[in-house]
């Protein structure tokens, strides 16, 4: 499907020419898992929070105790809660006050924003992405997943979580590749398909790395498979609506100018992808409008 007819502006294109192969490496699963252990604990806390909130009997104290296990995460949650985006005028200085003011649902979103900041708000040298753009890419993907899930009837919190963690593999890969004498660097200007470049130069692709990390963190198999096949949901061994939603959220993220280098050729919008994700063109356009407004508001207020 012509994406210009979906979003009224081109978001894909470019020729798929290859560039000369540089020095190749082979990042092992053990290296990826070791790098994951050195990440801030916030993504795992965020995922555990999702499980807690599924239990209607979960108390505020349980949530506070979980988030407080990472002081850095707590500090950022309070900072975001006091931003114009969530503030009602009076500053909060504890998680208990934040929960009382914004409620469990909004707190979940805030913790997600804070977790994304802890992990992605730093320059990724391998992929040539600065920290702010990397954070915006993660958050836009999360918001797009949430909006699309709402339209398709899929659990919104699970979708939001997957969207935020979609690029986790790039963070892990970058941590591993920086140990090399000559770290490989992806150049979007060469228009080499991202997965092809990763396989040739790193021996692993970022969705494979993300899947390995989520597996080590004991995520559900459906979530692991969704991240693994986000660029090509049709290739998943079983039907996975979350994988199709990730592909469509990638198209929205790209269209809003928050895409990542080398990814745009993967985000084609087809009737099959929309059908398997449970959305139509109208829902896709509505999600695009909603996410545009929300990410512009968040970026403007949190950058201030």
């Amino acid at each position: 499907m012509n994406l210009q007819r979906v979003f009224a502006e081109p978001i894909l294109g470019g020729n798929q020419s290859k560039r000369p192969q540089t020095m190749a490496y082979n990042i092992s699963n053990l290296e990826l898992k070791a790098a994951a252990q050195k990440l801030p604990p916030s993504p795992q806390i965020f995922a555990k929070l999702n499980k807690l909130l599924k239990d209607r009997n979960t108390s505020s104290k349980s949530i506070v105790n979980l988030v407080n296990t990472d002081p850095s995460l707590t500090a950022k949650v309070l900072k975001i809660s006091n931003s114009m985006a969530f503030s009602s005028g009076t500053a909060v200085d504890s998680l208990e006050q934040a929960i009382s003011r914004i409620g469990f649902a909004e707190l979940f979103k805030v913790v997600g924003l804070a977790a994304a900041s802890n992990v992605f708000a730093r320059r990724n040298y391998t992929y040539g992405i600065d920290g702010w753009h990397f954070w915006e890419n993660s958050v836009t993907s999360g918001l797009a997943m949430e909006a699309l899930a709402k339209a398709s009837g899929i659990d919104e919190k699970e979708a939001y979580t997957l969207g935020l963690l979609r690029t986790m593999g790039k963070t892990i890969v970058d941590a591993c590749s920086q140990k090399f004498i000559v770290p490989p660097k992806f150049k979007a200007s060469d228009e080499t398909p991202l997965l092809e470049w990763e396989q040739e130069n790193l021996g692993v692709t970022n969705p494979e790395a993300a899947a390995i990390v989520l597996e080590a963190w004991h995520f559900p198999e459906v979530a692991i498979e969704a991240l693994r096949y986000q660029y090509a949901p049709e290739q998943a061994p079983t039907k996975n609506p979350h994988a199709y939603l990730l592909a469509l959220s990638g198209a929205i993220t790209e269209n809003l100018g928050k895409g990542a280098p080398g990814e745009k050729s993967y985000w084609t919008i087809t009737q099959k992808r929309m059908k398997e994700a449970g959305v139509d063109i109208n829902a896709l356009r509505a999600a695009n409008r909603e996410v545009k407004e929300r990410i512009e508001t968040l970026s403007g207020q949190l950058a201030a």
Side-chain angles (χ1 to χ4, degrees), residues 212-290:
I212 289 170
V213 173
L214 262 63
E215 191 172 41
W217 289 350
H218 307 293
F219 268 65
E221 182 57 37
V222 65
I224 296 170
E225 187 176 274
L227 285 193
R228 181 177 281 119
Y229 292 98
Q230 58 180 288
Y231 293 101
E234 299 82 3
Q235 295 177 13
T238 59
K239 179 181 175 180
N240 192 313
H242 289 86
Y244 284 97
L245 283 177
L246 281 169
L248 295 178
S249 71
I252 290 176
T253 302
E254 186 72 42
N255 181 61
L256 296 178
K258 312 300 182 183
E263 290 190 342
K264 63 181 180 180
S265 63
Y266 297 99
W267 306 139
T268 55
I269 295 175
T270 65
Q271 290 291 348
K272 177 177 175 61
R273 288 188 172 185
M274 289 189 291
K275 178 181 178 181
E276 298 295 350
V279 298
D280 57 19
I281 290 180
N282 291 330
L284 198 62
R285 288 171 175 163
N288 185 75
R289 290 192 297 270
E290 177 185 335

Side-chain angles (χ1 to χ4, degrees), residues 128-264:
I129 312 173
D130 67 69
W132 179 251
H133 185 73
F134 205 17
W135 178 85
E136 283 192 313
N137 177 265
S138 169
V139 173
T140 305
S141 296
L143 294 176
M145 283 290 285
E146 181 186 36
L148 290 172
K150 191 186 308 178
S152 67
I154 289 176
D155 186 285
E156 295 170 34
K157 289 186 178 66
E158 290 182 0
Y160 179 65
T161 301
L162 277 179
L164 284 179
L165 300 181
R166 186 188 72 78
T167 56
M168 176 64 68
K170 292 181 180 178
T171 297
I172 303 299
V173 165
D174 185 59
C176 292
S177 67
Q178 294 311 305
K179 299 177 182 178
F180 300 139
I181 296 175
V182 182
K185 293 183 179 180
F186 179 73
K187 294 182 179 179
S189 58
D190 292 329
E191 298 180 342
T192 304
L194 178 64
L195 300 185
E196 178 183 317
W197 179 88
E198 290 175 327
Q199 199 63 60
E200 289 179 351
N201 294 277
L202 303 167
V204 65
T205 64
N206 82 84
E208 290 172 346
I212 289 170
V213 173
L214 262 63
E215 191 172 41
W217 289 350
H218 307 293
F219 268 65
E221 182 57 37
V222 65
I224 296 170
E225 187 176 274
L227 285 193
R228 181 177 281 119
Y229 292 98
Q230 58 180 288
Y231 293 101
E234 299 82 3
Q235 295 177 13
T238 59
K239 179 181 175 180
N240 192 313
H242 289 86
Y244 284 97
L245 283 177
L246 281 169
L248 295 178
S249 71
I252 290 176
T253 302
E254 186 72 42
N255 181 61
L256 296 178
K258 312 300 182 183
E263 290 190 342
K264 63 181 180 180

Side-chain angles (χ1 to χ4, degrees), residues 22-55:
T22 58
M23 185 182 297
Y25 297 96
N26 186 16
I27 300 175
S28 69
N29 288 5
L30 286 177
E31 289 176 294
L32 293 169
K33 291 178 181 179
Q37 294 302 315
K38 297 179 181 180
L39 284 176
S42 47
Q44 295 184 67
I45 292 174
F46 175 55
K48 290 177 182 177
L49 178 60
N50 186 21
K51 293 180 181 179
L52 271 183
L53 292 177
K54 287 183 178 180
D55 183 354

Side-chain angles (χ1 to χ4, degrees), residues 101-120:
R101 170 179 296 176
I102 64 179
F104 285 173
E106 285 301 308
L107 181 74
F108 177 74
K109 296 177 184 178
V110 171
V111 172
L113 294 174
S117 176
N118 276 354
V119 176
F120 301 114

